[in-house]
Amino acid sequence: MSAVVDRGGAHSSGLYADRLGWAHRAYQRFINALSPEVREHLVGGDGVHEPYVAVYGKTQVGKTTLLLELMEVRESAQAGISAVLRGRREYGKSATATAMEYRRSPDNDWHLDVGAGPVVYADDNAMCDALGALRQAMSERKLLSDDPVVVSIPSDRFQRSADAGLNVRMLDLPGDNPTDEVERVHVARMAERYVPHADLILLVGRADDLSFLDPAALALPGIKDWQYVPNRFRIVTTYSFTPQSVQQYARQLDGAPDPARFRERLLGQVDTFGLPLAPEAREPHRFYPLEFGQSWQAMLDVDLDFAARLAPVVAQVRAELHADIRASANEASRFRNACDIHIVARRQQEAGVQQAQATMELLGRELAQAEAGHRVSVKGAQGAAKRAAAARARLAERAHVEAVIAQVAKIDVDEQAGLVDRLGTNTTYLYGRMSQFEDWLRKAFLAREPDDHALAFFGQSAPDMQGQVIALNRIVEDEFSSLRSRMNGYWRDEYYPSMSSSFADDTSELRAAIRACAEKAGKLAHKDWTRQFKVRLAQLETEANTADAERAALDQVAKSLLEQQQSLMNQLDRTRSELDARSARLKQDGALAQRFRIMLDQEYLAEMRSRRAALAASRSPLNSLSILLSIALLQEERLKIKPT
């Protein structure tokens, strides 16, 4: 008979342990069919991980104290325990070296298990040193295990009514603002290891700094998108009642205050911070404004009236959080969350659409800029090519311009020289002729320029002939100086050709001087035009080469911008395609929520048929009873997952 009892007991124990096997099979089938971006928001489906709660937030917001409160550690002992848990770490930095699991010790000693079995520490100083060494090992990358460090707190530090404490694993994760790269890598590794499998995650932050709810401030995977699957998260704010504004609000409330009023106020503060919440995420029951610690207790001790009004509210919120954790940190809750996967899919799709639209808008602006830049570059290259062609066309006129400049040197003075033959025999006429010729030569000199076609070659580089008038005057003065000097020495103004050859000699010298002035003036003009001709040639060469280089550079820019346009258009096409594919996947994922319910029913019915078949085949009353009990247990678990 004992053998039968043993077999029945073993069979009963196995049936109890397998009471959720059917749900795990359905869950595994379900998450395997999901897209990765949706699957990451659900707890892993291997059925190995024991349900637990993860506590996450910035340093110095009271995460560890919150855990001690939830574990029902005596308030008078919390400060001392917190100091020990810091491991002599200075305030302002994260006291949590790695993922920590806190438990109640079986005795009045500290116990520390870093993966090699528990080590007992009889006093606070020894435990403090051990935790300091643990942090040092983390900073030196010497932690050999990624399993949570288990800290067992002396039993005498707990309330005597410790049965009210939570019987759920609770992990304290390191703060999300690490002080160095080693700590950052470790924090990320801990989050990646424990966040995906946590059945409930407490996001903890100060009520006067709600930035911890901003997705941009939550960089770790599985947490930054907490609004996608809000059933897995609870928002716990610390320092929720100490601000003067909250105290004033509490005193002005009519009647007895209740948690609903403060949750409503907290949500209003979230809106004030400009942190948009999805409808599912802003449901009040997900928010827990709390207050605890010595400063809070000291304030209550001073203001008894305030304590009478608010202490019951804080106690009620804490009790509601206790109850919520018990109800949520279990496998049934895990499966219920999966039934809401359509919310995750919808949020993912909305976020994906917004991100894709923002990307496409940015790409569109960049494409428009590239197109505009391409048009400017092409137009600029065309202009540069025209300038280069124009400069080279001018350079091609070089021979013609040189020939025209050669003609500039030739000043015809035959008529001016012929006028000497008509002069009367008096020095006054010769002086007058010299003066008249000087005026004529100046005008002729200033008028010396090539034809219009050649003149166009010079552009703005034509010589300034007016600037050479002084040099021209010196030429005339030098050529006429000898004649003027001799004539100035005459005693009489009248010539007597019959008596002397002076008139013939002076007129001959005047004609020679006129021709010499014309020749030198022509050379002066030719020199000036030749000098500017060379300057203009250099300018045109520079203009042509510069324009060629500019055209080549603009052609390259235009080519690059054309390639950029093509790349941007390809990116736009890929973004649209990815958005369409993502939307299709997420739409399918949303439809799978209903499919999961069907999978649960299928696996449940298959399990039920199997157990009924075993019941029908049973020949032992005791075994039959155990099977009947397991069937009842199966029905009970199904109701937890799928309430009717």
Side-chain angles (χ1 to χ4, degrees):
M1 181 65 178
S2 60
V4 175
V5 172
D6 288 343
R7 285 197 301 272
H11 185 59
S12 175
S13 176
L15 290 174
Y16 177 82
D18 197 36
R19 70 193 187 285
L20 285 173
W22 60 277
H24 282 294
R25 290 191 293 273
Y27 189 72
Q28 191 64 56
R29 288 170 54 195
F30 173 60
I31 64 171
N32 286 344
L34 292 174
S35 58
E37 59 263 44
V38 172
R39 187 187 308 138
E40 70 177 7
H41 292 285
L42 291 178
V43 178
D46 52 17
V48 174
H49 293 83
E50 179 184 353
Y52 62 85
V53 177
V55 181
Y56 185 78
K58 295 180 180 180
T59 60
Q60 302 302 300
V61 297
K63 299 192 305 296
T64 304
T65 307
L66 170 65
L67 281 169
L68 298 179
E69 280 278 325
L70 294 174
M71 292 174 66
E72 297 293 336
V73 171
R74 284 188 291 107
E75 191 168 326
S76 59
Q78 288 181 12
I81 292 175
S82 295
V84 171
L85 296 178
R86 294 198 67 81
R88 308 193 193 286
R89 174 81 157 173
E90 59 267 32
Y91 283 92
K93 296 183 178 180
S94 176
T96 308
T98 185
M100 311 283 279
E101 179 180 351
Y102 300 115
R103 296 179 179 175
R104 181 170 180 163
S105 174
D107 50 41
N108 292 335
D109 292 326
W110 289 92
H111 294 248
L112 179 64
D113 187 350
V114 296
V119 177
V120 179
Y121 296 92
D123 60 71
D124 290 359
N125 285 330
M127 185 64 175
C128 193
D129 291 339
L131 290 173
L134 174 68
R135 170 165 286 283
Q136 185 64 28
M138 184 278 292
S139 65
E140 295 175 356
R141 304 178 189 266
K142 293 180 179 179
L143 279 182
L144 302 179
S145 174
D146 283 339
D147 290 333
V149 171
V150 179
V151 175
S152 298
I153 300 170
S155 182
D156 60 359
R157 314 289 176 92
F158 288 79
Q159 295 180 16
R160 295 306 176 189
S161 57
D163 291 340
L166 292 171
N167 294 317
V168 176
R169 290 184 66 200
M170 298 192 70
L171 301 187
D172 186 6
L173 297 180
D176 73 344
N177 46 347
T179 57
D180 54 44
E181 180 62 15
V182 173
E183 190 171 331
R184 187 197 66 76
V185 171
H186 184 75
V187 168
R189 191 170 74 246
M190 291 296 99
E192 290 171 1
R193 181 175 177 84
Y194 294 110
V195 167
H197 300 291
D199 292 85
L200 189 66
I201 301 169
L202 303 185
L203 279 182
V204 185
R206 292 178 62 108
D208 56 0
D209 180 12
L210 296 174
S211 61
F212 74 97
L213 296 177
D214 186 355
L218 298 169
L220 294 179
I223 291 182
K224 63 180 179 179
D225 298 328
W226 69 272
Q227 294 192 54
Y228 292 172
V229 53
N231 284 342
R232 285 186 66 204
F233 290 84
R234 299 295 182 270
I235 310 303
V236 180
T237 58
T238 59
Y239 303 94
S240 303
F241 296 89
T242 48
Q244 288 294 327
S245 59
V246 181
Q247 295 180 37
Q248 184 178 359
Y249 171 77
R251 289 186 172 94
Q252 292 174 348
L253 286 174
D254 294 331
D258 63 85
R261 297 276 192 93
F262 292 95
R263 285 189 168 107
E264 181 182 346
R265 188 179 188 281
L266 177 58
L267 285 168
Q269 292 297 310
V270 172
D271 295 335
T272 301
F273 265 80
L275 301 172
L277 297 179
E280 300 86 358
R282 68 177 295 116
E283 292 179 4
H285 69 270
R286 305 190 195 281
F287 291 79
Y288 290 89
L290 283 175
E291 191 72 67
F292 40 74
Q294 290 181 323
S295 59
W296 167 246
Q297 188 58 49
M299 188 173 68
L300 295 181
D301 292 340
V302 171
D303 193 338
L304 298 179
D305 180 62
F306 182 73
R309 287 179 63 81
L310 280 189
V313 174
V314 175
Q316 183 178 343
V317 173
R318 187 187 298 116
E320 290 173 357
L321 180 58
H322 266 258
D324 194 356
I325 291 173
R326 288 194 188 93
S328 301
N330 54 61
E331 292 175 307
S333 177
R334 181 182 305 177
F335 301 136
R336 286 197 301 272
N337 287 339
C339 293
D340 293 333
I341 200 62
H342 60 284
I343 298 175
V344 178
R346 185 175 74 247
R347 295 296 177 205
Q348 286 276 15
Q349 185 171 5
E350 291 171 353
V353 168
Q354 291 176 358
Q355 183 178 0
Q357 288 176 340
T359 299
M360 288 190 290
E361 287 178 6
L362 177 61
L363 291 173
R365 289 194 297 271
E366 292 178 353
L367 180 58
Q369 292 173 355
E371 290 173 343
H374 180 262
R375 288 193 297 270
V376 171
S377 300
V378 169
K379 187 175 181 180
Q382 292 171 345
K386 289 180 180 179
R387 292 195 301 276
R392 288 201 158 74
R394 291 297 182 195
L395 288 169
E397 300 170 359
R398 175 176 182 166
H400 169 73
V401 175
E402 282 184 303
V404 171
I405 290 175
Q407 297 300 317
V408 170
K410 299 176 180 179
I411 300 177
D412 186 0
V413 291
D414 287 346
E415 183 179 351
Q416 293 293 315
L419 292 176
V420 175
D421 296 336
R422 304 175 189 177
L423 295 178
T425 57
N426 191 293
T427 56
T428 303
Y429 296 120
L430 272 68
Y431 281 127
R433 178 88 293 269
M434 284 188 284
S435 179
Q436 291 171 0
F437 174 73
E438 186 176 358
D439 289 341
W440 177 89
L441 183 61
R442 185 181 300 110
K443 293 177 182 178
F445 179 81
L446 292 176
R448 303 311 290 168
E449 61 183 24
D451 57 32
D452 291 344
H453 185 70
L455 194 60
F457 170 88
F458 285 91
Q460 300 298 319
S461 299
D464 180 15
M465 302 303 290
Q466 187 69 42
Q468 297 295 339
V469 169
I470 295 176
L472 178 66
N473 291 340
R474 283 198 298 268
I475 291 172
V476 173
E477 183 179 350
D478 290 345
E479 293 299 325
F480 286 161
S481 63
S482 175
L483 180 59
R484 279 198 175 103
S485 177
R486 188 169 63 250
M487 290 171 60
N488 290 338
Y490 291 158
W491 290 359
R492 294 177 180 273
D493 294 336
E494 187 67 31
Y495 286 102
Y496 297 98
S498 60
M499 298 175 61
S500 169
S501 64
S502 295
F503 178 71
D505 293 341
D506 287 351
T507 54
S508 176
E509 185 173 344
L510 178 57
R511 281 192 292 270
I514 286 173
R515 293 189 183 280
C517 284
E519 182 180 356
K520 291 182 177 180
K523 290 181 179 179
L524 178 63
H526 183 268
K527 179 181 178 181
D528 220 23
W529 278 98
T530 299
R531 183 180 66 250
Q532 289 305 111
F533 174 69
K534 292 179 180 178
V535 170
R536 182 57 175 157
L537 284 177
Q539 287 178 345
L540 289 171
E541 287 286 354
T542 300
E543 287 178 12
N545 292 336
T546 301
D548 282 340
E550 183 180 345
R551 177 196 54 75
L554 288 170
D555 282 343
Q556 186 60 40
V557 170
K559 179 182 178 183
S560 175
L561 288 171
L562 195 61
E563 293 173 351
Q564 184 182 354
Q565 288 180 59
Q566 188 59 52
S567 174
L568 289 168
M569 287 188 288
N570 291 341
Q571 291 181 57
L572 276 170
D573 291 340
R574 284 197 302 271
T575 301
R576 292 190 188 98
S577 298
E578 289 170 1
L579 176 61
D580 292 342
R582 180 186 179 92
S583 297
R585 286 197 310 271
L586 292 173
K587 184 177 181 181
Q588 181 181 10
D589 287 342
L592 277 174
Q594 181 60 37
R595 177 63 180 159
F596 178 54
R597 295 180 176 88
I598 296 173
M599 291 177 182
L600 282 171
D601 288 339
Q602 290 173 341
E603 294 293 345
Y604 172 77
L605 291 174
E607 182 68 22
M608 187 64 75
R609 283 194 297 270
S610 173
R611 298 200 181 192
R612 285 174 176 166
L615 178 62
S618 175
R619 296 294 180 264
S620 165
L622 187 58
N623 189 51
S624 298
L625 178 60
S626 68
I627 295 174
L628 282 172
L629 292 174
S630 74
I631 290 174
L633 188 61
L634 203 67
Q635 293 171 332
E636 181 181 343
E637 293 295 338
R638 182 177 184 276
L639 288 176
K640 291 179 182 178
I641 298 171
K642 290 186 63 178
T644 55

